[in-house]
Amino acid sequence: MALLPVADIIYSVRTLSAAKSRTLLTMLGIIIGVMSVVAVASVGQSAQDLVLGEVQAVGANRISIFPGGSQENTPPPIVMGIVSTTLTERDYRAIRDLPHVVVGSPIVTSVASLTYKEKSFMVQVWGVGEEFPALQDARIASGRFFSRSDVESYGHLAVLGSKAATDLFGDEDPVNKTIRLKDAAFQVVGVLQERGSSIGQGQDSQIFIPVTTAQKLILGITYINAASVKVDASNHVTQAIDDIKYTLRRRHHITDPAKDDFSVRSADTAIGILDSITTVINVFLLVVTAISLVVGGINIMNIMYVAVRERTREVGLRKALGARSRRIFLQFLAESSMISLSGGLIGLALGAAIAYGITLVAVQYGLDWSFSLSVPAIAAALSVSTVIGLVFGVAPAMAAARLDAIRALRYE
Amino acid sequence: MPPLIRLEHLVKEYSDSEQPVLALDGVDLTIEAGDFVAIMGPSGCGKSTLMHLLGFLLSPSSGKYFLEGKDASSLTDDERADIRNRRIGFVFQSFNLLPRTSVLDNVLLPVEYMPDADRAAARKRALELLKLVKLSHRLNANPNQLSGGEQQRAAIARALINRPALILADEPTGNLDSKTSDEVMDLLSELHHEGHTIVMVTHEEEIAARAHRTIRMKDGRIVSS
Ligand SMILES: Nc1ncnc2c1ncn2[C@@H]1O[C@H](COP(=O)(O)OP(=O)(O)O)[C@@H](O)[C@H]1O
Ligand SMILES: [Mg+2]
């Protein structure tokens, strides 16, 4: 006997299409389930690609060093708002002198009141080194960035982000104007080009001053909040990280790496963390939608039980004409799988349409969003829906196969 | 040569309900190949039960059933399904054609359950049988487009598709008016003359009169044959 008898399938198709709205209702759970699985999987993948893409764009070959020790895969303490004082500008200089390190900057961040003429407001002030534009791939729109000697001499110089410049000066040229930061006069020496926002930070509204000046004048501290460097090639990142750790341990007289008072992170570790977070979210969403698939399966099972009862005479007739129980079982099992697989196909189409619609919207909003519908996701959606039809079709099909031919023929 | 069917003291008790029912109480019966037998008797006397036993839809509680001399009293479900498929042709009172399925496909339905069937030959035979029952013009009609008489003729064609040794018809004219009853009886008579063995249950004397012999039953026993 063929595993899928053609005549049975044709009969099932006719029976199912004779009661279209009921068949659709039977499929509804599966349609919604597969639709959500496909949409969630696709959108989740696109979002993950987007976030990781941004991180990679910003962070290629970049290593960041933070004060305070931490585990490899947890954020450094500074992220939690814990202030550590164990990293200094001299530590940064030692790191900067390591082989493979091509550019870098120490970073301290603060918020200070800024005054120009009658205008006064709070701005983000970043104390950075002279290489900061090269580190961040930032371009100078006008004027210049401050130099190493400006940093060493505690220069009262400021470079404005593009938005900070227009907010403060409008159409005026800010270069050589004097502004007041925390009541000290600073000379504006340059303006940065607009950079757009990289993940979560409007970098265009910031004001940059020499790190030494920020430490002494604005914050009154001797440590730095972070240091960031780039290495010459991605295959040197691991070597550079080891060198940095070695250098800092020597400088901080640390012999046991478990007692490190600093944390070193590269884009790779950041990507690893982000990757695991987004994967967890995706898995969670998939589990939730998989539950709706099970509900869809139970729905199919119930309606197949009703169908078996309604078609009792048909089963009796088929048995009288020589159908073995196993054949009746396969007929109804094939029918529930067909319902489920068709529902899966409809759900797949709808889910893909939703994901595509979201792509169109995201692109409208200027996101670098790409539509992704992986072959494994499609295969999973379709095989899961077939399996659900099989699993939840077993009990009704067994009930059909067990029907007594005579009773079934007498059934009205 | 052994008779087509020999029943020896066949007993059927329905024991699954609260009160066991003795539907057949020791039936002895011989049916020769080519016979045309009518079974008569009051309602509930066990006619249908006897037909179901003859047609391998039921197993006897005790007694022996010999089909062509071979003991067929205790067979597995699958063995009985295969005998129904190859050796028996059923004609029901309520026709029992599959809905949404053409007359031709209905006639071919038993072939579906024959794994080694020659499909092309079966199709050719179905067309011949539909010619015999005068339905050649309705091959692709659905059952609900046919009259009762036409439906029963299609059902008879279906019963003949696997060249059965025995045709069982339980009140085949029970749902038909007298004119179409006559048509169906003409057809069964014709089949009898062609050599088919037919066992038929009926309530009407004039229908029974068209058979070769009549068996009368009462309370699960044969009272005259
Ligand atoms: N499946 C069954 N379970 C229990 N009793 C049954 C069953 N089928 C028939 N009977 C009983 O067996 C007796 C014979 O029934 P049946 O063979 O249908 O008679 P007839 O066809 O002559 O009217 C009746 O009393 C009927 O109620
Ligand atoms: Mg009866």
Side-chain angles (χ1 to χ4, degrees):
Chain A
M1 189 203 312
L3 189 63
L4 290 178
V6 179
D8 287 0
I9 289 178
I10 293 173
Y11 185 75
S12 288
V13 169
R14 287 197 188 135
T15 306
L16 294 176
S17 47
K20 281 197 188 61
S21 50
R22 167 163 144 181
T23 302
L24 210 63
L25 216 60
T26 313
M27 293 176 182
L28 198 60
I30 294 292
I31 293 176
I32 292 174
V34 170
M35 183 182 79
S36 349
V37 168
V38 169
V40 163
S42 169
V43 171
Q45 185 60 50
S46 299
Q48 197 163 356
D49 291 350
L50 177 77
V51 170
L52 294 182
E54 283 213 16
V55 169
Q56 245 147 0
V58 171
N61 299 351
R62 177 193 288 251
I63 300 169
S64 297
I65 304 98
F66 303 95
S70 67
Q71 297 293 313
E72 190 65 32
N73 278 317
T74 57
I78 191 163
V79 173
M80 313 297 195
I82 299 165
V83 177
S84 297
T85 60
T86 48
L87 197 66
T88 65
E89 211 240 334
R90 294 173 59 143
D91 286 332
Y92 162 72
R93 291 290 166 196
I95 291 166
R96 176 65 185 84
D97 288 340
L98 289 170
H100 302 306
V101 174
V102 289
V103 70
S105 172
I107 296 167
V108 301
T109 59
S110 71
V111 175
S113 65
L114 180 154
T115 315
Y116 175 67
K117 291 184 179 162
E118 68 281 8
K119 288 190 211 162
S120 175
F121 44 89
M122 303 300 284
V123 290
Q124 273 194 63
V125 178
W126 277 36
V128 297
E130 68 284 356
E131 287 178 340
F132 187 77
L135 178 75
Q136 296 285 78
D137 292 323
R139 294 214 164 69
I140 309 290
S142 63
R144 63 172 180 98
F145 208 77
F146 39 82
S147 66
R148 173 146 190 189
S149 64
D150 293 331
V151 174
E152 280 167 356
S153 62
Y154 297 83
H156 283 205
L157 306 176
V159 174
L160 308 183
S162 63
K163 188 165 181 300
T166 42
D167 283 355
L168 211 55
F169 294 96
D171 294 337
E172 243 182 301
D173 180 9
V175 177
N176 290 326
K177 297 282 183 325
T178 300
I179 56 174
R180 299 189 76 80
L181 279 174
K182 218 183 164 191
D183 294 330
F186 280 73
Q187 188 192 3
V188 177
V189 291
V191 177
L192 295 181
Q193 275 183 9
E194 185 178 334
R195 309 186 44 222
S197 62
S198 105
I199 346 156
Q201 288 184 349
Q203 297 200 346
D204 291 330
S205 356
Q206 289 161 353
I207 288 178
F208 304 93
I209 62 174
V211 58
T212 47
T213 320
Q215 281 178 307
K216 195 174 168 208
L217 197 76
I218 309 276
L219 289 160
I221 56 173
T222 54
Y223 56 88
I224 58 175
N225 298 134
S228 200
V229 296
K230 265 189 180 174
V231 293
D232 48 7
S234 58
N235 56 344
H236 291 146
V237 169
T238 319
Q239 178 63 48
I241 288 176
D242 287 347
D243 291 350
I244 290 167
K245 285 179 176 172
Y246 177 80
T247 305
L248 288 177
R249 280 177 199 138
R250 192 170 39 80
R251 291 178 56 83
H252 296 185
H253 311 292
I254 294 166
T255 48
D256 178 6
K259 296 211 171 78
D260 278 354
D261 59 0
F262 57 88
S263 309
V264 181
R265 291 284 182 274
S266 66
D268 296 333
T269 49
I271 287 167
I273 293 169
L274 270 175
D275 204 26
S276 49
I277 292 172
T278 46
T279 302
V280 166
I281 292 171
N282 283 347
V283 166
F284 171 76
L285 290 174
L286 281 176
V287 166
V288 170
T289 46
I291 292 170
S292 67
L293 280 177
V294 171
V295 173
I298 293 170
N299 190 27
I300 288 182
M301 180 166 73
N302 283 331
I303 298 189
M304 284 308 288
Y305 268 125
V306 174
V308 168
R309 198 157 59 237
E310 284 175 355
R311 287 161 61 185
T312 298
R313 278 188 76 83
E314 176 198 323
V315 174
L317 171 71
R318 289 179 182 276
K319 286 196 160 184
L321 297 185
R324 294 181 175 194
S325 299
R326 191 183 138 77
R327 173 68 180 264
I328 300 291
F329 174 79
L330 287 177
Q331 181 192 340
F332 281 87
L333 196 62
E335 190 164 313
S336 56
S337 314
M338 265 165 55
I339 293 174
S340 190
L341 180 60
S342 314
L345 284 169
I346 297 174
L348 175 65
L350 292 178
I354 289 174
Y356 191 71
I358 289 176
T359 304
L360 293 182
V361 172
V363 168
Q364 284 282 307
Y365 278 89
L367 287 173
D368 184 19
W369 186 278
S370 56
F371 176 71
S372 65
L373 188 58
S374 64
V375 173
I378 295 173
L382 294 185
S383 47
V384 161
S385 55
T386 309
V387 165
I388 280 178
L390 286 171
V391 168
F392 288 94
V394 163
M398 266 167 51
R402 271 204 295 261
L403 281 176
D404 177 46
I406 298 171
R407 264 171 216 236
L409 275 171
R410 284 191 181 168
Y411 187 91
E412 293 301 334
Chain B
M1 212 179 99
L4 177 64
I5 286 165
R6 194 154 56 84
L7 307 182
E8 283 181 3
H9 211 73
L10 211 63
V11 173
K12 180 63 192 182
E13 188 181 56
Y14 293 109
S15 46
D16 45 344
S17 49
E18 311 114 47
Q19 248 197 327
V21 178
L22 192 61
L24 285 189
D25 187 11
V27 168
D28 296 288
L29 178 66
T30 302
I31 295 170
E32 299 290 345
D35 231 348
F36 185 1
V37 181
I39 300 177
M40 297 196 75
S43 184
C45 71
K47 305 182 296 294
S48 292
T49 302
L50 178 58
M51 294 292 269
H52 292 150
L53 280 163
L54 287 172
F56 292 88
L57 284 164
L58 277 179
S59 295
S61 308
S62 69
K64 290 283 178 204
Y65 182 159
F66 295 96
L67 178 67
E68 292 168 328
K70 286 191 283 284
D71 187 357
S73 316
S74 49
L75 300 172
T76 66
D77 285 353
D78 283 350
E79 285 167 338
R80 288 194 284 119
D82 291 348
I83 292 184
R84 290 198 296 272
N85 184 235
R86 286 144 201 268
R87 311 295 285 142
I88 313 287
F90 287 100
V91 178
F92 306 95
Q93 181 177 348
S94 51
F95 326 135
N96 278 328
L97 297 172
L98 274 189
R100 294 179 292 280
T101 304
S102 72
V103 167
L104 181 60
D105 285 341
N106 261 293
V107 172
L108 284 166
L109 186 55
V111 180
E112 281 301 313
Y113 302 124
M114 251 187 153
D116 47 4
D118 176 347
R119 301 276 166 149
R123 196 184 149 83
K124 201 165 151 257
R125 176 164 169 79
L127 293 172
E128 282 165 14
L129 288 169
L130 283 166
K131 196 168 163 196
L132 174 74
V133 302
K134 301 189 176 66
L135 282 175
S136 293
H137 60 299
R138 316 280 348 233
L139 294 182
N140 297 312
N142 275 354
N144 58 3
Q145 298 168 308
L146 301 185
S147 71
E150 288 174 321
Q151 288 190 53
Q152 195 60 302
R153 273 149 46 205
I156 290 170
R158 178 181 65 193
L160 293 169
I161 188 73
N162 282 345
R163 303 177 196 277
L166 175 64
I167 294 168
L168 295 171
D170 195 344
E171 303 191 33
T173 59
N175 282 3
L176 301 176
D177 60 39
S178 60
K179 185 174 162 289
T180 45
S181 288
D182 281 345
E183 285 170 22
V184 167
M185 286 317 299
D186 288 346
L187 184 55
L188 289 178
S189 297
E190 194 183 332
L191 295 176
H192 171 227
H193 287 304
E194 282 174 11
H196 285 283
T197 312
I198 302 170
V199 177
M200 169 185 75
V201 169
T202 184
H203 282 299
E204 294 165 72
E205 292 291 349
E206 60 267 42
I207 298 277
R210 316 247 335 221
H212 202 221
R213 63 175 171 132
T214 301
I215 291 169
R216 290 179 199 278
M217 291 182 68
K218 199 174 177 229
D219 295 338
R221 291 166 191 263
I222 293 177
V223 289
S224 80
S225 63

